[in-house]
Amino acid sequence: MKNTWQETTLTRGDLSLILMPSIGGRLMDVVYKGHSLLFTNPDLKGIHADSVTGELNTFPTRAKHVPFPLWGGEKTWLAPERYWQDKGPIPVLDSAAYHVEWLGAHSVKMTSPKNSDGLVITRMVSLSETVEGQFEIHHQITNEGADVVKVGCWSVMMLQRNAIIAYKQNEASKLETYFGEPANNLQTTGCHGVVICNDDNEFKVGVHPDSSTALAYCPIENTSKGLLLTSFVEALTDAADYAHGNAFEVYNSAAYPYCELEWHGKVRTLAPHDAATLVTTFCVTESDEVAFEMLLS
């Protein structure tokens, strides 16, 4: 199927960000020195949901147990999941077209339509002007409705598999399994918990880590090299401040070759016109598995 998606690209040096405002304001890919990091669903290329409502009645999928389109890329979801409808993210926020505003040569602001509760998602994606390979996503959920709501930002990044994801842990960092049997995909290296996403064993785990920094190593096929993705969020607070009781989650897919690196922002009680925010910063550098393992030890 011909790809008819309209892309918006931010480029600085060796880093390019491929944005899809027409599909839920997504960051659809991160490309560093010609190497792609994020997963795009090949079964949905060229397909559009309704630009106003985000509705998509039928769509080809290999994940029959997932009742919503898995577009790919990185996006902002509402947390907790009780805000979802029909067991999926709200279509008008996840799949409808976002309004685009250029803030400069290296920064774009994308704003969703309102959902039925009056919630609006704003995503500002910016390339660093000073640090090679670094970019920032400013997530915001604004309550433009009449009622008080309790909600938080949830950043979900779909990385191409294979990937190794690591977070810093201490004795109080308890890994929670939401579903699946991930034991064979988990290990501890130094002071880091490690999630190995190299197969189609479907699982999801969550943890309240000891640091607001997480690492993902993504090998480059047919080479001994890889890309290191370092992600940062603002300083973490108590686990109870987050919608799922954890600030960090990892999902590994069975149906498609991807895994998810997920950060949560604190849940806030929003009166009309109030907003909840989350800032995620990512830095891409070249690496190899030996150097990555040294970072963990």
Side-chain angles (χ1 to χ4, degrees):
M1 179 177 293
K2 183 180 179 181
N3 185 352
T4 58
W5 288 344
Q6 297 297 310
E7 300 178 354
T8 295
T9 303
L10 299 177
T11 299
R12 181 178 177 273
D14 293 318
L15 178 64
S16 292
L17 306 180
I18 312 301
L19 307 176
M20 297 287 188
S22 63
I23 306 176
R26 270 170 173 71
L27 168 60
M28 194 59 85
D29 204 0
V30 175
V31 180
Y32 187 72
K33 294 190 175 181
H35 300 292
S36 172
L37 273 170
L38 304 192
F39 169 80
T40 299
N41 190 336
D43 297 333
L44 295 181
K45 281 192 174 181
I47 293 177
H48 285 272
D50 185 283
S51 63
V52 177
T53 67
E55 296 289 347
L56 185 62
N57 294 329
T58 60
F59 50 89
T61 182
R62 304 171 210 176
K64 301 297 184 183
H65 61 300
V66 179
F68 57 91
L70 297 166
W71 299 105
E74 185 277 341
K75 62 274 189 182
T76 306
W77 279 350
L78 304 182
E81 289 185 15
R82 64 182 177 81
Y83 276 107
W84 292 17
Q85 63 186 53
D86 301 324
K87 299 182 179 180
I90 298 169
V92 73
L93 301 179
D94 189 55
S95 300
Y98 279 39
H99 172 74
V100 178
E101 179 184 355
W102 284 87
L103 304 178
H106 298 143
S107 184
V108 169
K109 179 179 178 181
M110 299 178 287
T111 305
S112 77
K114 293 181 189 179
N115 79 337
S116 59
D117 294 325
L119 298 180
V120 174
I121 291 176
T122 303
R123 291 168 48 81
M124 186 169 68
V125 182
S126 304
L127 288 168
S128 173
E129 300 288 351
T130 56
V131 181
E132 168 67 19
Q134 183 166 299
F135 63 98
E136 179 180 284
I137 304 173
H138 187 282
H139 314 253
Q140 181 169 302
I141 300 170
T142 304
N143 181 11
E144 296 188 6
D147 300 322
V148 173
V149 297
K150 191 172 182 179
V151 68
C153 298
W154 181 2
S155 169
V156 179
M157 175 175 279
M158 300 168 77
L159 294 170
Q160 293 184 42
R161 221 171 40 217
N162 297 333
I164 305 171
I165 298 173
Y167 58 90
K168 196 170 183 181
Q169 61 183 3
N170 59 28
E171 292 181 358
S173 303
K174 182 180 178 181
L175 189 73
E176 180 180 357
T177 298
Y178 299 134
F179 57 81
E181 297 182 0
N184 292 335
N185 298 78
L186 306 176
Q187 66 182 44
T188 298
T189 302
C191 60
H192 287 84
V194 179
V195 186
I196 302 170
C197 300
N198 61 359
D199 57 25
D200 60 359
N201 177 31
E202 185 173 35
F203 63 85
K204 186 165 187 180
V205 294
V207 68
H208 200 63
D210 192 42
S211 169
S212 57
T213 300
L215 305 171
Y217 176 72
C218 304
I220 299 171
E221 192 173 5
N222 300 322
T223 76
S224 61
K225 300 293 185 180
L227 297 179
L228 176 66
L229 178 71
T230 305
S231 61
F232 315 85
V233 295
E234 55 260 39
L236 302 180
T237 57
D238 291 342
D241 293 336
Y242 300 84
H244 297 169
N246 294 306
F248 187 70
E249 297 171 341
V250 176
Y251 167 74
N252 192 55
S253 172
Y256 292 98
Y258 75 88
C259 58
E260 291 178 353
L261 185 157
E262 307 179 10
W263 281 109
H264 284 261
K266 291 188 292 184
V267 169
R268 288 197 56 204
T269 299
L270 304 182
H273 310 299
D274 283 349
T277 61
L278 169 68
V279 179
T280 50
T281 302
F282 300 90
C283 189
V284 189
T285 56
E286 291 182 307
S287 187
D288 56 50
E289 194 161 350
V290 173
F292 174 65
E293 289 175 352
M294 289 180 62
L295 285 175
L296 305 184
S297 61

